[in-house]
Amino acid sequence: MTEILPVTEDSLKEAKRLILRGDAVAFPTETVYGLGANAYDTAAVNKIFEIKGRPNDNPLIVHVHKDFDISTLVADVPGYAKILAEKFLPGPLTMVYRSKGAVSSAVSCGLDTLAIRIPSHEGAQKFLKYVGLPIAAPSANVSKHVSPTSAEHVLFDLNGKIDLILDGGECSGGIESTVLDCTGDIPVVLRSGLVSREMVEEAVGACREYAYREGGVARSPGMKYKHYAPACRTEMFEPAQYEQALALYDFEKAKGTKVCIICDGEGKKLVGDRKYMCLGATPGEMASNLYAELREGEKTSDLLIVISPADRSGVMAGVMNRLTKACGKRYEN
Ligand code: TXA
Ligand code: MG
């Protein structure tokens, strides 16, 4: 039986008991819900991979309380990383450093680096403080499904597989944290998110975006996998191809397929009286609504047609990355 409890003294006590026993607990963050376990405990970390059905070469992020001394876990923190941490943490930015090997090697799947995240969500901070341990946590969804942005989403994916979901309401950010490689001379974005490449560049002068090429070595192993995908068929169209998108809608609809168009405020003006879901008017709104809409869409539709927004910079890079992956395509930049 999986229980959903608000974050209180009692539920935190229960969460700590489960974590110390070597179990995984779901908890809220400002991006998406995480499925956390004691990062020092190899059996507990392995349990996370098992529960999610996660490939065992896709490393986990370690979550720590804002007062945790990360120098016990990682070495060689460069000057630019200190500036970025000062500016963006706690918040939706994960930083990859050289690992000291203090946590279980199962966390990083044998890599010599470790990804560290200090979430800003009040419930996450309370959980991390109460437990007092670094917590290895991926998103709390079944592997390759859409990430969860509410306790109900977690329950849908993991009902019966875990004992406790700490409920901190709906996640405001909506897409996973930016993953930034901080092991080199300049920071490199491995996964885009709410802290954009442009924001990092503005803070420290330089930032690159890592582009994974098919068949190449993935600096962030998660890049290789299809992710964030709804259970139903999903097709993406460029804004200029909207007439093709509408033609597909009409063709499928005539066959009896339940179809829905996903679009932004601009796309909405093009769809006429067809069924649609608007993700929002700003990149932040779109990020925040994206996963809930994809989960709603897969429940009610056989086919989701995405008319992609035209903007691709800043936070939209993260939204586009998730939308493209939802459509089973790899996002190349
Ligand atoms: O917002 C988030 O980051 C959420 C919440 C729960 O904190 N977590 C999350 O975790 O999205 P997950 O496991 O779904 O994604 C972690 C990503 C993967 O793409 C993984 O490959 C990458 O981070 N990653 C983890 N450790 C890494 C490392 N040492 N080097 C490079 N990439 C790493
Ligand atoms: Mg994930």
Side-chain angles (χ1 to χ4, degrees):
M1 242 282 283
T2 303
E3 238 186 332
I4 299 184
L5 296 174
V7 183
T8 62
E9 187 72 20
D10 282 351
S11 65
L12 289 170
K13 209 167 170 183
E14 174 63 359
K16 183 171 181 174
R17 188 183 73 81
L18 292 168
I19 294 287
L20 293 181
R21 191 172 88 172
D23 282 348
V25 170
F27 65 99
T29 83
E30 71 281 16
T31 58
V32 302
Y33 275 71
L35 179 63
N38 179 358
Y40 295 125
D41 180 344
T42 299
V45 173
N46 285 336
K47 235 181 236 179
I48 292 177
F49 285 86
E50 221 170 273
I51 291 168
K52 278 184 62 106
R54 182 176 175 104
N56 62 8
D57 65 347
N58 192 7
L60 307 178
I61 296 169
V62 166
H63 296 62
V64 295
H65 182 260
K66 61 180 166 45
D67 297 332
F68 189 89
D69 178 8
I70 66 159
S71 73
T72 63
L73 305 181
V74 294
D76 304 337
V77 175
Y80 67 76
K82 289 178 186 146
I83 296 171
L84 293 171
E86 188 67 32
K87 192 166 169 81
F88 296 115
L89 300 185
L93 175 66
T94 294
M95 298 164 92
V96 176
Y97 300 111
R98 188 87 34 224
S99 176
K100 279 192 171 169
V103 298
S104 164
S105 62
V107 172
S108 287
C109 303
L111 296 176
D112 60 1
T113 54
L114 187 66
I116 305 265
R117 168 151 148 69
I118 303 175
S120 61
H121 191 289
E122 200 190 335
Q125 281 294 318
K126 281 188 180 158
F127 168 63
L128 292 166
K129 182 165 187 175
Y130 203 93
V131 171
L133 288 165
I135 294 292
S139 48
N141 51 286
V142 164
S143 189
K144 298 183 181 58
H145 192 213
V146 179
S147 290
T149 55
S150 72
E152 290 70 32
H153 293 166
V154 180
L155 188 70
F156 183 86
D157 276 27
L158 302 181
N159 195 4
K161 293 185 177 173
I162 56 175
D163 287 337
L164 176 61
I165 301 169
L166 292 174
D167 187 350
E170 280 173 27
C171 306
S172 57
I175 58 172
E176 303 83 350
S177 63
T178 305
V179 178
L180 196 68
D181 186 336
C182 297
T183 61
D185 292 342
I186 62 167
V188 179
V189 175
L190 300 178
R191 179 176 73 184
S192 47
L194 295 173
V195 176
S196 67
R197 188 187 64 74
E198 289 85 345
M199 286 158 73
V200 172
E201 199 162 42
E202 197 184 309
V204 295
C207 179
R208 281 197 304 117
E209 190 117 13
Y210 181 77
Y212 172 69
R213 299 272 169 241
E214 191 111 16
V217 177
R219 279 271 281 284
S220 186
M223 289 171 160
K224 286 187 304 191
Y225 299 105
K226 180 176 171 182
H227 258 109
Y228 325 113
C232 65
R233 186 180 151 204
T234 316
E235 299 273 351
M236 167 115 102
F237 292 85
E238 292 294 319
Q241 299 174 307
Y242 81 92
E243 282 179 353
Q244 278 154 267
L246 302 186
L248 176 65
Y249 180 104
D250 295 340
F251 175 76
E252 291 288 342
K253 183 92 188 154
K255 286 198 306 189
T257 309
K258 282 182 269 166
V259 207
C260 182
I261 294 173
I262 294 187
C263 56
D264 66 347
E266 286 306 305
K268 192 169 94 172
K269 297 175 193 158
L270 308 169
V271 304
D273 58 4
R274 296 170 185 85
K275 187 175 171 207
Y276 73 89
M277 294 191 298
C278 177
L279 293 177
T282 64
E285 260 174 50
M286 284 188 253
S288 174
N289 295 329
L290 179 63
Y291 288 148
E293 297 286 24
L294 289 178
R295 280 179 178 261
E296 192 52 39
E298 72 178 2
K299 269 198 279 176
T300 49
S301 314
D302 305 321
L303 169 62
L304 295 172
I305 297 175
V306 178
I307 302 179
S308 75
D311 180 11
R312 303 285 154 96
S313 62
V315 169
M316 268 320 286
V319 175
M320 280 307 299
N321 167 285
R322 306 314 192 272
L323 268 177
T324 312
K325 284 192 162 193
C327 299
K329 291 184 185 116
R330 234 164 241 139
Y331 189 60
E332 294 290 355
N333 48 55

